[in-house]
């Protein structure tokens, strides 16, 4: 990857910052493209002089995407949302980026999708991811599509969300407690992106699913977080009839939930296709190997706490 120009669409986000760091460490030139590039300036110190570039790009303005990818050896689409207009961002947006990459003559394109992507999904999120994959494949047939399970890391919006809820509420309700997840470490996903670029013979034109070494139920994950943060809480697994009512009103004590998220939770989020980490030679990182390093802030007393339960 040394001196190759790799453009990251949405490169200043949670996953993007890790992908950028991995590429910079390999000597690539990294162009960060997003609506407000100033929000990604924190990445500057990670690269050498002249190794990073920041440009404005907006999926609603295809011409800005076309300008952002000019001269790129590879383009990586990292844009994804958890609420809002899923089709516009994750289907139409994916098409716009893939077409721009193809027209710019990029030799590689990587699209970050998600396990559960399915054009026939009951959830708008899942449908948009499935439609996005189809659009990417039509525009850039040799694209690599990566489908991670729930991605965890210091800045994530999943493990941290539940940790905050557990820290503040004496009773923690759990929806779809039996739904299974295979959390994958954000650093491993970033390594998968770089490995896919390094080894197109293993990844080009493929859909690779990314999951960690542990398969946990929703209830099991919440209990693990409570134990790790030293919080003794009443964890109540709600029956689906009550969960559906809560989703209808759009609010779970401590955190919002949408009807679409409720539909997403109806399906297990585990690797069922080709195991991408195995294919790319990446040893997956267990949740408990790294999460305690940042979850300590949710303990009573934070970093100055004792290991006793609270």
């Amino acid at each position: 990857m040394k001196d190759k120009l790799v453009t990251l669409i949405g490169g200043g986000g949670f996953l993007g910052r890790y992908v950028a760091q991995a590429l910079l460490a390999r000597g690539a030139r990294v162009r960060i493209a997003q609506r407000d590039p100033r929000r990604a300036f924190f990445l500057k110190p990670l690269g050498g002089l002249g190794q990073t570039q920041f440009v404005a790009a907006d999926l609603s303005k295809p011409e800005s995407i076309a300008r952002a990818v000019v001269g790129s050896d590879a383009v990586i689409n990292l844009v994804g949302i958890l609420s809002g207009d899923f089709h516009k961002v994750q289907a139409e947006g994916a098409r716009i980026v893939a077409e721009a990459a193809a027209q710019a003559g990029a030799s590689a394109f990587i699209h970050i999708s998600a396990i559960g992507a399915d054009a026939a999904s009951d959830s708008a999120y899942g449908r948009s991811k499935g439609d996005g994959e189809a659009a990417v494949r039509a525009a850039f047939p040799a694209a690599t599509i990566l489908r991670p399970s729930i991605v965890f890391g210091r800045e994530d919006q999943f493990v941290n969300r539940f940790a905050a809820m557990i820290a503040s509420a004496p009773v923690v309700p759990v929806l779809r407690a039996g739904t299974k997840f295979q959390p994958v470490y954000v650093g491993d996903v970033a390594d998968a992106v770089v490995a896919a670029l390094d080894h197109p013979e293993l990844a080009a034109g493929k859909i690779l699913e990314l999951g960690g070494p542990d398969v946990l139920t929703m209830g099991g994950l919440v209990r693990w977080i409570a134990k790790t943060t030293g919080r003794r809480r009443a964890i109540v697994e709600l029956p689906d009839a009550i969960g559906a009512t809560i989703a209808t009103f759009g609010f779970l004590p401590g955190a919002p939930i949408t009807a679409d998220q409720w539909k997403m939770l109806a399906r297990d989020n585990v690797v069922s296709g080709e195991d991408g980490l195995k294919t790319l030679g990446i040893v997956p990182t267990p949740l408990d190997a790294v999460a305690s390093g940042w979850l300590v802030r949710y303990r009573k007393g934070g970093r100055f706490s004792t290991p006793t339960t609270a």
Side-chain angles (χ1 to χ4, degrees):
M1 296 306 301
K2 185 170 177 58
D3 295 328
K4 297 288 186 180
L5 175 57
V6 183
T7 297
L8 307 185
I9 306 297
F14 167 47
L15 174 57
R17 67 189 65 193
Y18 287 85
V19 173
Q21 187 169 355
L23 289 167
L24 290 168
R26 297 293 301 276
R29 291 176 293 141
V30 178
R31 179 184 289 157
I32 308 295
Q34 58 186 60
R35 278 187 299 178
D36 183 356
R38 293 171 298 180
R39 299 183 66 179
F41 282 177
F42 66 89
L43 293 170
K44 275 187 175 182
L46 300 181
L49 184 63
Q51 199 180 0
T52 54
Q53 183 183 35
F54 301 84
V55 299
D58 189 328
L59 291 177
S60 66
K61 301 175 182 177
E63 67 280 4
S64 72
I65 301 296
R67 288 194 298 268
V69 301
V70 168
S72 300
D73 294 293
V75 177
I76 301 169
N77 182 33
L78 295 146
V79 180
I81 58 174
L82 294 174
S83 62
D85 191 335
F86 293 124
H87 183 78
K88 180 179 179 180
V89 175
Q90 297 181 160
E92 284 300 307
R95 176 187 61 78
I96 288 168
V97 176
E99 288 179 351
Q103 291 167 7
S107 59
F109 182 77
I110 295 180
H111 175 65
I112 305 299
S113 184
I115 288 179
D118 184 351
S121 174
D122 288 338
S123 78
Y125 177 89
R127 287 195 303 274
S128 69
K129 284 292 190 180
D131 290 342
E133 289 184 359
V136 165
R137 188 65 74 218
F140 204 117
T144 298
I145 295 173
L146 299 180
R147 290 180 176 175
S149 181
I150 298 300
V151 181
F152 69 88
R154 183 176 297 274
E155 306 89 352
D156 73 44
Q157 297 180 42
F158 189 77
V159 173
N160 282 304
R161 176 180 177 180
F162 284 104
M165 185 166 66
I166 290 167
S168 62
V171 178
V172 181
V174 182
L175 302 181
R176 303 277 200 192
T179 299
K180 295 177 182 177
F181 298 90
Q182 197 169 346
V184 59
Y185 180 50
V186 63
D188 293 342
V189 178
D191 287 343
V193 170
V194 175
L197 292 176
D198 273 339
H199 301 285
E201 74 281 3
L202 298 177
K206 286 187 174 184
I207 294 177
L208 301 177
E209 298 192 340
L210 309 178
D214 307 308
V215 175
L216 302 170
T217 64
M218 178 65 83
L221 177 62
V222 171
R223 288 184 174 85
W224 179 86
I225 295 170
K227 180 180 179 181
T228 301
T229 56
R231 299 284 185 173
R232 192 185 299 277
R233 295 292 185 257
I235 296 172
V236 181
E237 299 185 358
L238 300 178
D240 284 353
I242 295 177
T245 301
I246 290 174
T248 299
F249 287 102
F251 188 81
L252 177 72
I257 181 169
T258 66
D260 199 67
Q261 289 170 338
W262 170 254
K263 292 175 181 177
M264 289 164 56
L265 288 172
R267 297 176 58 176
D268 289 339
N269 198 279
V270 298
V271 172
S272 59
E274 183 172 355
D275 185 331
L277 295 185
K278 183 177 181 181
T279 294
L280 297 170
I282 298 168
V283 178
T285 303
L287 180 63
D288 61 8
V290 292
S292 59
W294 78 81
L295 287 179
V296 66
R297 69 177 181 266
Y298 296 104
R299 284 181 170 272
K300 188 176 181 180
R303 293 187 178 279
F304 298 93
S305 66
T306 61
T308 57
T309 56

